[in-house]
Amino acid sequence: MLNNKVRTRFAPSPTGYMHVGGLRTALYTYLIAKKAGGIFILRIEDTDTARYVEGAEEVIIKTLRDTGLIYDEGPDIGGPVAPYRQSERKELYKTHAQKLCEKKAAYYCFCEKEEKDDTVLLVDVCRDLPYEGSKQRVDAGEPYVIRMKAPKEGETTVDDVVFGKITTPNKILDDMVLIKRDGMPTYNFANVVDDHLMGITHVMRGSEYLSSAPKYNILYDAFGWEIPIYITVSPVMRDAQNKLSKRHGDPTYDDLIALGYLPDAVLNYIALLGWSPGGEQELFTLQEMLEVFDISGISKAPAIFDIIKLNHFNSEYIRKMSPEEFTEIATPYIKKAIHNENISIDSIARLLQARCEKLSDIPEKIDFFEALPDYETDLYIHQKSKIDKTIAYDMLIAAKSGFENLTEWTNEPISYMLKEMAVDLDVKNATLMWPVRIAVAGKSVTPGGAVEICEILGKEEVLRRIKIGIEKLK
């Protein structure tokens, strides 16, 4: 252990966007390190050139920065810290694999097989070839892979924080490839070498790697290295049967941000997908997570991603913002729908903050401010308040007269006038307010009620829309 510190790593492959499960792994590894005052490392596992996606590394780094998961260490510390990249450490892996060959814990395999068959082999005719003869063939330029020589007797036990002790009979383990024909390491081998050389003390992986864990231990033992603490997390699921998957249309982190979710809300929600902090509190800042995080709270049961629950989290984060903060982030979305410079952006933002689940909903919620939609008169009917089209017509006639005589056009005078008019008409406030809302918005569901909408639209536009409503109801 370097400097006796806890050291963790997030080690994604640059094969696309940041998935929810990947970000959760990054968060947990960050929390483990920082809770202990340790080091959090980013390592890009880019040895699989066939799956490499241009720009994916930049997406990973940007996501970590946007969510506050700042990594501490890289190969060069001058300006922004660069991540470790396995492609830049190619010779290092080859050297370590050759050492295992010398120790007869691995061997050179010359069999001609399809690349897809290279990683799975239970019996290999090259396994028992003399090392000296194999080395001569390698030096002569014959193509080869290097395979681990898995023991065929006994058993290997893996100790995992979440899943406990898992024992595997060695006879079912294959001689997995360590170095491929192109000289690049396999994912499993490069992980073991890097985790040791970087002093990683706690290794977090998805449960799909549980079956490979015995082979990791065999490699650690072959090198004479200390085995790190394993922490296995179960997958994030779309439902009880299916994992979240981009190919099936499930959102990535970038998709969620584009849909109008806040980074802090997303991070908070995914933290609770498989980890329980205990108690009733659900909303945590990153600093608050650090204070309460404990590995023992990680569950082995898969967690189901619930977009409705995420909506709740996001709306709570929106409400916690100051009006100025919300106006700033909401303005680009408001401007997608509102181009009329006479409409107050600040006033619309005040209406939205308490009624908004995600930012991308904003344009559809407020488009009626820009232009009155063509609506059906059935909207005026309200069964609960016993409003039919005849009553709605009478209410709009009265409201038109009241609006025409109103001299001060702000919230309080508008509200006072309408409430007094309801008293004069001997109807409930809702009986008058509902037809006015439909007339000025053309929608039954709006951010804010009739008074707030009227104030923002202005007297001239309100009267124009009231007249349209009267004509529709004639």
Side-chain angles (χ1 to χ4, degrees):
M1 188 184 297
L2 299 181
N3 300 320
N4 294 318
K5 274 195 170 185
V6 169
R7 294 169 63 86
T8 66
R9 85 315 192 253
F10 176 50
S13 298
T15 55
Y17 295 99
M18 179 74 85
H19 295 277
V20 168
L23 183 56
R24 183 188 65 171
T25 298
L27 172 60
Y28 289 175
T29 54
Y30 173 89
L31 293 173
I32 291 167
K34 295 304 175 181
K35 178 75 183 262
I39 300 297
F40 173 59
I41 291 170
L42 173 63
R43 187 173 74 220
I44 303 297
E45 306 203 329
D46 56 351
T47 57
D48 190 344
T49 55
R51 297 179 63 226
Y52 179 82
V53 174
E54 190 71 36
E57 179 182 316
E58 288 74 16
V59 169
I60 292 166
I61 294 172
K62 183 179 185 302
T63 301
L64 294 180
R65 289 176 179 163
D66 287 351
T67 53
L69 307 181
I70 309 302
Y71 56 95
D72 302 299
E73 189 179 292
D76 49 88
I77 311 290
V81 180
Y84 290 102
R85 299 180 184 91
Q86 288 187 331
S87 60
E88 297 171 356
R89 299 159 62 84
K90 177 179 174 182
E91 291 306 313
L92 181 152
Y93 309 119
K94 197 169 184 179
T95 300
H96 278 78
Q98 288 168 343
K99 287 180 181 178
L100 290 181
C101 289
E102 293 169 6
K103 297 170 68 173
K104 297 182 174 53
Y107 60 95
Y108 298 102
C109 177
F110 306 96
C111 300
E112 294 185 5
K113 289 178 279 292
E114 295 293 330
E115 183 70 25
K116 62 184 172 59
D117 295 327
D118 269 354
T119 55
V120 179
L121 190 67
L122 288 174
V123 178
D124 194 303
V125 295
C126 299
R127 178 182 168 102
D128 296 319
L129 291 176
Y131 168 73
E132 292 76 13
S134 294
K135 187 68 169 62
Q136 289 175 359
R137 293 170 68 177
V138 168
D139 293 341
E142 188 172 344
Y144 68 93
V145 300
I146 296 179
R147 290 183 179 276
M148 177 183 80
K149 188 177 286 187
K152 295 306 174 187
E153 296 179 354
E155 55 191 25
T156 299
T157 297
V158 173
D159 198 356
D160 185 87
V161 171
V162 178
F163 283 78
K165 292 185 183 297
I166 302 171
T167 299
T168 304
N170 290 334
K171 64 182 180 181
I172 71 170
L173 299 178
D174 61 83
D175 288 358
M176 72 174 180
V177 169
L178 308 182
I179 301 294
K180 296 181 284 188
R181 280 184 176 80
D182 61 3
M184 294 297 276
T186 57
Y187 170 87
N188 290 322
F189 183 59
N191 259 269
V192 169
V193 173
D194 277 340
D195 285 344
H196 171 74
L197 296 181
M198 295 178 184
I200 302 303
T201 60
H202 296 67
V203 171
M204 178 168 287
R205 291 191 182 94
S207 57
E208 65 270 26
Y209 293 103
L210 271 178
S211 60
S212 299
K215 290 180 275 190
Y216 302 148
N217 280 16
I218 290 168
L219 286 173
Y220 279 110
D221 289 341
F223 281 117
W225 294 341
E226 183 179 353
I227 296 173
I229 296 169
Y230 293 139
I231 306 155
T232 299
V233 289
S234 292
V236 179
M237 310 288 286
R238 183 199 319 144
D239 51 43
Q241 287 78 38
N242 301 288
K243 282 202 261 185
L244 278 184
S245 169
K246 176 66 175 174
R247 74 171 67 93
H248 292 129
D250 297 317
T252 64
Y253 171 80
D254 279 344
D255 292 333
L256 293 174
I257 299 305
L259 287 169
Y261 293 96
L262 306 178
D264 288 350
V266 174
L267 198 69
N268 188 161
Y269 175 63
I270 67 170
L272 303 179
L273 291 175
W275 167 66
S276 173
E280 299 298 321
Q281 183 178 347
E282 283 190 320
L283 301 184
F284 294 90
T285 64
L286 185 56
Q287 181 58 41
E288 288 170 337
M289 288 184 218
L290 271 175
E291 294 168 4
V292 301
F293 186 80
D294 193 282
I295 297 174
S296 64
I298 297 176
S299 170
K300 68 169 65 174
I304 294 179
F305 183 85
D306 183 352
I307 198 72
I308 295 174
K309 187 72 171 176
L310 177 58
N311 288 343
H312 165 71
F313 271 70
N314 205 59
S315 64
E316 289 295 320
Y317 270 80
I318 285 174
R319 284 155 187 55
K320 286 171 61 179
M321 301 176 100
S322 69
E324 294 76 19
E325 289 172 328
F326 178 72
T327 299
E328 182 178 353
I329 66 166
T331 293
Y333 295 88
I334 294 173
K335 287 185 174 180
K336 287 182 181 180
I338 306 298
H339 306 102
N340 186 342
E341 294 182 357
N342 295 321
I343 300 293
S344 168
I345 298 292
D346 289 351
S347 297
I348 291 181
R350 283 197 297 272
L351 279 188
L352 287 167
Q353 187 167 4
R355 304 170 174 89
C356 181
E357 284 192 332
K358 59 183 187 292
L359 299 176
S360 58
D361 292 340
I362 289 176
E364 186 178 357
K365 285 178 176 289
I366 62 169
D367 55 2
F368 67 88
F369 282 107
E370 180 73 8
L372 181 68
D374 185 20
Y375 63 93
E376 299 295 328
T377 54
D378 284 348
L379 281 182
Y380 285 102
I381 299 171
H382 196 293
Q383 301 288 356
K384 188 175 180 181
S385 296
K386 299 179 180 179
I387 301 171
D388 58 21
K389 294 180 184 180
T390 301
I391 293 173
Y393 177 83
D394 293 340
M395 294 300 105
L396 291 187
I397 292 292
K400 174 178 173 293
S401 174
F403 285 139
E404 288 174 338
N405 294 321
L406 198 60
T407 56
E408 184 181 351
W409 198 266
T410 57
N411 187 287
E412 190 171 331
I414 295 171
S415 177
Y416 179 80
M417 183 274 290
L418 288 173
K419 288 177 180 177
E420 287 296 302
M421 180 172 287
V423 172
D424 292 342
L425 295 172
D426 194 24
V427 297
K428 294 179 179 178
N429 288 339
T431 304
L432 177 60
M433 298 287 191
W434 178 260
V436 171
R437 178 195 284 198
I438 298 301
V440 298
K443 291 183 174 185
S444 58
V445 179
T446 58
V451 173
E452 293 92 343
I453 294 170
C454 287
E455 180 186 20
I456 292 172
L457 284 172
K459 181 176 180 177
E460 181 179 342
E461 179 64 12
V462 167
L463 283 171
R464 186 184 76 82
R465 295 186 180 196
I466 291 288
K467 291 173 184 176
I468 291 173
I470 290 170
E471 287 302 311
K472 280 178 172 286
L473 288 166
K474 269 188 178 178

